[in-house]
Structure formats: structure tokens, C-alpha cells
Amino acid sequence: MKTMPEFPAAAVERLLPVADQLAEHGWAVTQSGLSPQVLAELEHNCRSLWNSEALRPAAVGRFGERQVLPEVRGDHIRWLDDCPPSPAHSAYLQAMAELQRTLNRTLLLGLDSYETHYALYPPGAGYRRHVDRFKESPLRTVSVVLYLNSRWQPGDGGELRLHLPDGPLDVEPRAGTLAVFMSDSIVHEVLLARRDRASLVGWFRRRPDNPLLR
């Protein structure tokens, strides 16, 4: 049976500064702590889904108002819950569980669930400026993006641009880079990709005051 290394204890210590930066600035960029083996398997999975046409165009809006608008959002996605289990998926979810525990312990955010999907932007695709929290639902609290592009080079495009008070910050989508930011306040966009750009995108959700909001 194929196995993957567990999320290392040293990487857990690396998560504490993430909580500090979220508290102070609302965003953080760090290395995920996942092994090259895990990152390679996740990248392979995402690109295999794309090549087999198992990714679907992402929509914008909620419920009955959802629309596919490639000029606004051009990525193709598949929720991890809809993918076969794998050791790499388990290692990634373990890392996210550690991050959730760290944020709850240090920032008292009340995060109780995590939703995530693969996302691939083909050449020419991007995502216009937006925030991740829906107006009618306050549950998405912290956004997380893990990049899976082992061959990314300057000029390939697809950077995450965070629109911050001091000006824009561009995050290169290199494999292993982890971007974490508050879902309700950090305006961001994905710059146009010039080659296929792969990632895992997720959101920590807080416990609802009203259970019907789930």
C-alpha cells in the first residue's frame, strides 16, 4: 500500500507565525511544510483531473444566482470530497486540521469545518477582484490557497494579487507556497495565467449562531 509521510511536527511550529500575521495584518504567506512527495502527488492529481476533463468551470454567485462567467472567473474545479481518497489528500487535510487547531487556539475564531477544491486556471484565465465571504452567509472566515506548480517561472502569470492598504502584493504560485487570509476583508484577484496554474483552494468556516445558516 502506498503511503505518504505525515505532516511533520516542525511544520506545526511554523504555523504559529501565520496566526500572528493574520491577527496583525489579516494575511500571511508561508511554506506549507508538506513534503515534496505529497506536493508532487497533489499536483499530479490536479493535472490528471484536468487532462481527463474531470474539472468543471467554476461559477460565481450563490444558489439560484450562480453563473459561469469566464471573463470574471476562469478556473476549473473539483471538490476534494468528490475525489477518490489518497495518502496525499490525507496529508494535506492533516496539515489543514493542524492549521485550524492553531488558529482556534491562538485567535479563538471558532472554526469548525473546512471545505476545499482543486482549481486549475488554463492560459488566459484569471479571477477578477473579489472577497471570499458571501454577503448572505457569514460562515467563511479564513481562506487558504496551496500552490502546486513545480515548474512555475516568472512570466508564467497566475499570481495571487492581494489588495492591501499599503498597495498590492503579488504572491507567486510556486509549489508549496501557502497563502492564508481573512475571507471577509482581503480583496484579491488572480492575474491572468500564461500556462496552466494549479492549486488547492479552501475555506475554514466558523460555527453558525443559527444552525439553519449551514
Side-chain angles (χ1 to χ4, degrees):
M1 177 179 178
K2 187 177 180 182
T3 61
M4 292 279 180
E6 293 184 355
F7 189 58
V12 177
E13 294 301 318
R14 199 178 300 134
L15 297 177
L16 293 174
V18 172
D20 292 339
Q21 293 175 46
L22 274 183
E24 184 173 358
H25 303 295
W27 63 273
V29 177
T30 188
Q31 289 302 301
S32 66
L34 292 166
S35 72
Q37 183 184 6
V38 169
L39 292 169
E41 186 67 23
L42 294 172
E43 180 177 9
H44 173 77
N45 290 346
C46 186
R47 297 189 185 281
S48 293
L49 289 167
W50 170 251
N51 291 333
S52 64
E53 300 185 349
L55 300 178
R56 295 292 178 260
V60 296
R62 288 269 282 174
F63 304 121
E65 299 179 354
R66 293 182 65 77
Q67 301 180 71
V68 175
L69 300 172
E71 68 277 14
V72 175
R73 178 182 181 181
D75 58 325
H76 292 64
I77 70 170
R78 188 175 185 90
W79 292 93
L80 202 63
D81 286 347
D82 295 332
C83 298
S86 77
H89 291 165
S90 296
Y92 164 70
L93 292 174
Q94 180 189 352
M96 294 301 100
E98 292 288 359
L99 179 56
Q100 179 177 323
R101 282 191 286 269
T102 299
L103 297 180
N104 278 339
R105 184 172 65 250
T106 57
L107 303 182
L108 306 177
L109 293 177
L111 308 176
D112 79 335
S113 63
Y114 182 65
E115 56 184 3
T116 183
H117 62 63
Y118 281 111
L120 188 137
Y121 288 79
Y127 197 162
R128 290 185 187 174
R129 291 176 58 150
H130 65 286
V131 294
D132 282 349
R133 179 179 286 183
F134 297 113
K135 291 180 180 180
E136 70 276 14
S137 174
L139 301 184
R140 280 186 178 176
T141 304
V142 179
S143 302
V144 182
V145 187
L146 172 66
Y147 294 106
L148 303 173
N149 305 289
S150 58
R151 298 183 181 181
W152 188 89
Q153 297 292 328
D156 288 346
E159 294 91 346
L160 171 69
R161 175 167 290 176
L162 305 177
H163 292 276
L164 306 173
D166 295 332
L169 172 71
D170 290 348
V171 180
E172 297 177 346
R174 296 181 183 273
T177 298
L178 190 73
V180 185
F181 51 93
M182 302 306 295
S183 302
D184 65 336
S185 59
I186 300 297
V187 179
H188 58 286
E189 63 181 304
V190 176
L191 303 185
L192 293 181
R194 297 184 181 89
R195 64 182 298 177
D196 292 350
R197 183 256 209 200
S199 64
L200 274 161
V201 182
W203 299 270
F204 292 112
R205 294 162 57 93
R206 69 172 180 83
R207 290 184 291 271
D209 298 325
N210 179 353
L212 295 178
L213 288 176
R214 266 189 202 283

